[in-house]
Amino acid sequence: MIKLGINIDHVATLRNARGEMHPDPYLAAKLVNKYGADSITIHLREDRRHIRDADVVKICKDKKLTVNLEMAANFKMLNIALRNKPEFVCLVPEKRKEVTTEGGLNLIKNKSKLMKIIHILNKEKIRTSLFIDPTINNIKISKELNSNCIELHTGKLAGLVKQKKIFINELNKIKKCAKYAFKTGLEVHAGHGMDYKTAKILNSIKEIKEFNIGHFIVGESFFYGIKTVIKKFKKILNN
Ligand code: PXP
């Protein structure tokens, strides 16, 4: 079974737009779990633009949920993860002014810090993942860093598909990296910018075991309802 992680950050974006309590990301987490999400992704950004500390506490406390906490690779965030004990942590780069996570981690620049953070998370039995651009060098370093998983950034591919541009080179890059990573023993995930079309395209890469999808699912659910949207993704991914 290919796993579907659902990112509910944008439920929090909507809530924050009014500065009130509705819609509640915790209720969204419970709902996507009920309708078949294999994990719930929440990205606690340093600027707290969507998910907030109180959401992390509430969502991680519910042990019926499998939580994937996305966070910047620093010790302040690490302490939050250690306090809340999500099942998974995905380390991502963060730039204050970006609209979303625009690229993968710079593993070379952050190597020693990442090594320390991964070591601590591994010791706590929290599954670790590194969000990276699809290059063989990134996979080699991820392996050296002892991460359990890598998540390949699919944003570029998704952009090309949406603009109806040629995407075969980018797809081949992702395929090559997924196969290489799988061979080295890393669990391979993928995500960013995905919709039904990119899910169908990427599903041809059998080494990818988990997809993390957020914005499209939240938006599409407005039209068709979350239950229908999750069902459709699960059908595509397990075809
Ligand atoms: N995976 C990672 C590591 C991300 O940072 C994000 C965006 O927060 C996603 C997946 C989901 O991307 P999208 O919301 O575009 O589906």
Side-chain angles (χ1 to χ4, degrees), residues 17 34 38 122 155 173 179 183 193 196 208 221 227 235:
K34 177 175 158 193
D38 296 292
N122 283 347
K173 226 159 71 175
K179 286 185 189 301
K183 260 200 217 151
Y196 295 134
I208 302 177
S221 296
K227 187 178 175 184
K235 198 169 164 201

Side-chain angles (χ1 to χ4, degrees), residues 43-71:
H43 183 177
L44 184 70
R45 289 188 69 101
E46 292 186 289
D47 60 12
R48 305 300 196 265
R49 69 170 73 156
H50 36 57
I51 293 294
R52 294 175 177 157
D53 299 67
D55 299 319
V56 175
V57 172
K58 211 162 153 190
I59 293 169
C60 288
K61 225 182 219 168
D62 187 337
K63 290 302 164 198
K64 288 196 200 97
L65 304 173
T66 301
V67 181
N68 176 32
L69 178 65
E70 273 182 29
M71 58 181 222

Side-chain angles (χ1 to χ4, degrees), residues 130-170:
L130 293 169
F131 192 41
I132 55 171
D133 290 324
T135 71
I136 295 293
N137 201 36
N138 275 340
I139 313 277
K140 285 183 182 160
I141 303 173
S142 301
K143 188 67 193 165
E144 276 174 45
L145 290 171
N146 269 326
S147 182
N148 304 127
C149 318
I150 47 144
E151 181 167 331
L152 297 171
H153 197 306
T154 57
K156 188 169 174 195
L157 176 93
L160 293 169
V161 173
K162 279 172 205 162
Q163 294 163 51
K164 299 193 173 24
K165 289 192 177 154
I166 297 165
F167 60 83
I168 191 72
N169 288 345
E170 186 63 19

Side-chain angles (χ1 to χ4, degrees), residues 168-179:
I168 191 72
N169 288 345
E170 186 63 19
L171 180 63
N172 284 339
K173 226 159 71 175
I174 294 173
K175 200 180 280 182
K176 198 170 138 197
C177 286
K179 286 185 189 301

Side-chain angles (χ1 to χ4, degrees), residues 33 37 41 68 71 95 109 164 217:
N33 180 60
T41 295
N68 176 32
M71 58 181 222
K95 290 192 209 115
K109 195 172 149 205
K164 299 193 173 24
I217 291 184

Side-chain angles (χ1 to χ4, degrees), residues 69-171:
L69 178 65
E70 273 182 29
M71 58 181 222
N74 63 52
F75 292 96
K76 211 166 163 187
M77 296 308 298
L78 174 68
N79 284 334
I80 295 175
L82 295 176
R83 273 203 305 276
N84 288 286
K85 294 206 176 309
E87 282 69 19
F88 314 147
V89 162
C90 180
L91 298 170
V92 300
E94 261 185 44
K95 290 192 209 115
R96 211 45 66 86
K97 288 202 178 117
E98 67 189 356
V99 175
T100 179
T101 322
E102 284 162 3
L105 286 159
N106 184 335
L107 299 184
I108 297 172
K109 195 172 149 205
N110 298 297
K111 206 167 172 182
S112 74
K113 188 171 60 176
L114 285 166
M115 180 86 90
K116 284 182 199 142
I117 292 174
I118 290 171
H119 177 72
I120 295 167
L121 290 169
N122 283 347
K123 238 176 40 192
E124 292 297 316
K125 304 209 172 350
I126 295 173
R127 187 191 78 173
T128 47
S129 183
L130 293 169
F131 192 41
I132 55 171
D133 290 324
T135 71
I136 295 293
N137 201 36
N138 275 340
I139 313 277
K140 285 183 182 160
I141 303 173
S142 301
K143 188 67 193 165
E144 276 174 45
L145 290 171
N146 269 326
S147 182
N148 304 127
C149 318
I150 47 144
E151 181 167 331
L152 297 171
H153 197 306
T154 57
K156 188 169 174 195
L157 176 93
L160 293 169
V161 173
K162 279 172 205 162
Q163 294 163 51
K164 299 193 173 24
K165 289 192 177 154
I166 297 165
F167 60 83
I168 191 72
N169 288 345
E170 186 63 19
L171 180 63

